[in-house]
Structure formats: structure tokens, C-alpha cells
Amino acid sequence: MTILCVRFQLPPMYEAALPGLLGLLEEFTPVVQALPPDGALADLRGAERYFGRTAVELASVIRVRALALHGVDCVIGAGPGPMLARMALRDARPGVTRAVAGDEVRDFLAGKPVAALPGVGARTARTLCEYGLDTLGRVAAAPLSTLQRLVGARAGRELREKASGVDRGRVVPNAVSRSLATERPFTRDELDPGRHRRALLSAGEELGVRLRALDTVCRSLTLTVRYADRTATTRTRTLPEPTAHSAALTAAAYGLYEALGLQRARVRAIALRAEGLGPAEQASHQLTFDPVDEKLRRIEEVADRARAKFGPRAVMPGSLAA
């Protein structure tokens, strides 16, 4: 089985172009899984036989068509399974597909840091590194009982399998992402709550723009604050109603932030994730008769039309709040 992981080099907040690009992939295989905002997995198991070409050759055709038909370049990784294709993508660059053949998997994984493995978070990676298991080659060679003592029975077994190149994942056709996320890193550890709030304002507006471009609303919002010591705090709030309204998202983000009660916290990055996505046409909006809110919604409509006509940079994030 050969899987492609494709990341289209779309401008920020331009997920609306993704469906057309997925259609391009579906000309080669019906087994395509969207990875919003700008990527996809494609199972070429049958396409290689049908077209009489290798996955790398098909990847070159996909790249040329994406450029010719959509004006969008892409980077592509190829591997025997979804996990390996995703990891190969990290080594790819425009114009050159990074392919990992079945007999190259162990060598490809051996020297990579343990944190490069999908599903291995910072805490697990730190625990493994403390015991000298800092590369995937060392993890694969470690006794299963050792890994299970460190990270748990099931997690240890899965970790060893993945580090050895066993990829049990599959491409799920037509899978739709249930969340959208954006992050605002700071150039230095930030103490100023005012800068934290400006980051939340920018992130909330961006999420609103992206949701509206996809004709989608979200039902909950998750805030993640990452600190200088590499720890993080995450909080989730269910919204009063499904929305893609930037002002509502920003207000919810402010509420989540204030509830943390941070006291001179050294913040490295702030991230927002819109979750529980659904079609906007199926969502209801409670009229508030608030003239300020109605004005903001009208401004959003005008800004969205400008972006649709002139491109995503026609109205830059943060300009509506200025």
C-alpha cells in the first residue's frame, strides 16, 4: 500500500480552496482524506496499477496539475502507511517528493528523535529521553516490558510498533475535520496580559474568518496557553449557540483566559481551537437586537465578500477591530 500525504501551499485562511484541490486528488483515487486547512491523505494502492505509474510519478503529475489548474504548489511525502507518509512529508520540499519504500522504513526511522513520532507528546518524549531512549531506533530496540513500565501497557506496545515501522493506520475517505486551530507564538516569553488579549483577539478573528469561508460554525472553543517552562494549560467552553461570529469567539476566548487567573505568567504561545464543527445552514442564531453586534456582523459580511473577490489578504486579520 502506498499513501501520499500532500500539503498544499495555500495562503493563510484560505481553506475554501481545499475542496477543489481534493477533487484533483480524487481524479486519481477515491480514497482521499481531507486534512484541513491545507492537506490530504490519498491511498494510491489501486491507482499505481491502473495508471501504470509509481506513487512518486503520480505525485509529480498531481503537483503539475495543482500548479496549472489552481496556481498552488504543494509538498508531498509518500510511504507504506499514513503515519510514514506524514513523517516523510516533513522531509519533503516543493518539487521533490520524499518517498519512503517498505525496505527503507527502519533506516528512515532509526535516527529520528522520539518526539518526531506522531502521538508522542512532550511529556512522553521527556520521560523516554530521561532513560536514554531519545531516538526511534533505540525505542524499537528496547524491551517491550521496559516501554510498558515507562508509558503504560497499551501505549508501550503501540510505541514500539510505530518505532519499528508498523503502521496500522488507514486513509478514511471523505473524513471531515471536526476542528480548526490557530496559534499565536510570542517572540519572547510574554508577561503582559494586554499582549495576551491582543493575541486572543487576532486568533478569534482568524478562526471566525476561516469558519465563515467554509460555511461552518463551531459549538465549543478550546484555549491552550503554553508557558516558558514548556507546560501548558487547556480549557474548553461550550458556546451559547453554534457560531462563526468573530466577536462571539473572541468574547469566549477572553472568558476562558480570565478564568485561568494568571498572575505574571511567562507565556510562550496562545492557541485557540474551534471544535464541534457543523454546517452553518443548520445553525440557528438568537436575535439580540444589539446594534453594536449587528453592525459587527454587517462589517464581517462586507469583509468576507472582499476576501472572496480579491483574495484572503484583501482584509487583514485584526483590521476589523482597529
Side-chain angles (χ1 to χ4, degrees):
M1 176 169 57
T2 303
I3 307 297
L4 293 186
C5 185
V6 184
R7 187 177 71 240
F8 298 103
Q9 297 188 314
L10 294 172
M13 302 174 296
Y14 206 47
E15 290 97 327
L18 186 58
L21 294 165
L22 295 180
L24 186 155
L25 295 176
E26 289 169 351
E27 295 176 6
F28 295 89
T29 173
V31 189
V32 176
Q33 177 179 345
L35 301 175
D38 57 3
L41 291 170
D43 185 344
L44 297 184
R45 179 170 41 185
E48 289 177 299
R49 293 194 300 268
Y50 182 82
F51 291 101
R53 298 190 180 189
T54 66
V56 174
E57 291 171 338
L58 290 173
S60 298
V61 176
I62 290 169
R63 179 179 292 109
V64 170
R65 290 192 181 181
L67 280 167
L69 299 177
H70 300 273
V72 174
D73 202 353
C74 58
V75 291
I76 303 176
M83 179 192 77
L84 292 163
R86 287 174 186 252
M87 295 182 71
L89 178 69
R90 299 173 187 171
D91 296 339
R93 63 182 188 275
V96 179
T97 298
R98 178 64 171 101
V100 180
D103 57 356
E104 300 173 346
V105 170
R106 284 186 174 273
D107 291 338
F108 171 73
L109 294 175
K112 290 191 175 297
V114 68
L117 194 67
V120 175
R123 181 177 299 178
T124 300
R126 187 161 57 246
T127 298
L128 293 170
C129 289
E130 288 174 354
Y131 287 85
L133 302 174
D134 55 346
T135 67
L136 295 181
R138 291 177 177 175
V139 171
L144 177 58
S145 58
T146 298
L147 296 176
Q148 290 179 324
R149 281 200 304 272
L150 293 176
V151 300
R154 180 177 178 181
R157 183 171 60 253
E158 292 179 352
L159 176 64
R160 194 167 189 267
E161 285 186 350
K162 290 180 178 180
S164 301
V166 178
D167 190 350
R168 300 188 185 279
R170 63 188 183 93
V171 179
V172 182
N174 302 322
V176 178
S177 174
R178 300 295 294 172
S179 67
L180 287 177
T182 186
E183 185 171 7
R184 293 294 184 271
F186 296 106
T187 54
R188 59 183 182 182
D189 298 335
E190 187 57 67
L191 290 166
D192 184 2
R195 292 184 180 273
H196 298 168
R197 290 177 65 88
R198 284 195 287 275
L200 290 169
L201 173 64
S202 173
E205 185 174 332
E206 180 187 331
L207 279 184
V209 170
R210 291 166 62 183
L211 288 167
R212 295 192 299 275
L214 295 171
D215 291 325
T216 301
V217 294
C218 69
R219 292 175 173 80
S220 61
L221 190 69
T222 295
L223 167 68
T224 300
V225 180
R226 306 187 194 283
Y227 306 107
D229 61 359
R230 298 187 179 182
T231 61
T233 302
T234 299
R235 295 290 185 272
T236 299
R237 175 172 295 181
T238 300
L239 302 172
E241 63 181 20
T243 187
H245 184 29
S246 294
L249 295 171
T250 302
Y254 285 165
L256 286 165
Y257 174 80
E258 296 298 337
L260 294 179
L262 301 181
Q263 299 292 328
R264 293 190 58 78
R266 297 171 58 200
V267 176
R268 181 159 296 177
I270 289 176
L272 286 180
R273 179 178 293 276
E275 300 179 311
L277 306 189
E281 61 186 18
Q282 298 178 11
S284 59
H285 166 53
Q286 179 66 43
L287 296 178
T288 63
F289 300 104
D290 180 353
V292 175
D293 183 70
E294 292 302 319
K295 180 180 179 181
L296 288 174
R297 289 180 184 271
R298 288 197 298 272
I299 292 174
E300 281 182 353
E301 291 176 2
V302 173
D304 290 343
R305 287 198 295 270
R307 292 187 186 95
K309 184 174 182 179
F310 300 108
R313 297 184 181 277
V315 182
M316 297 302 291
S319 61
L320 299 182

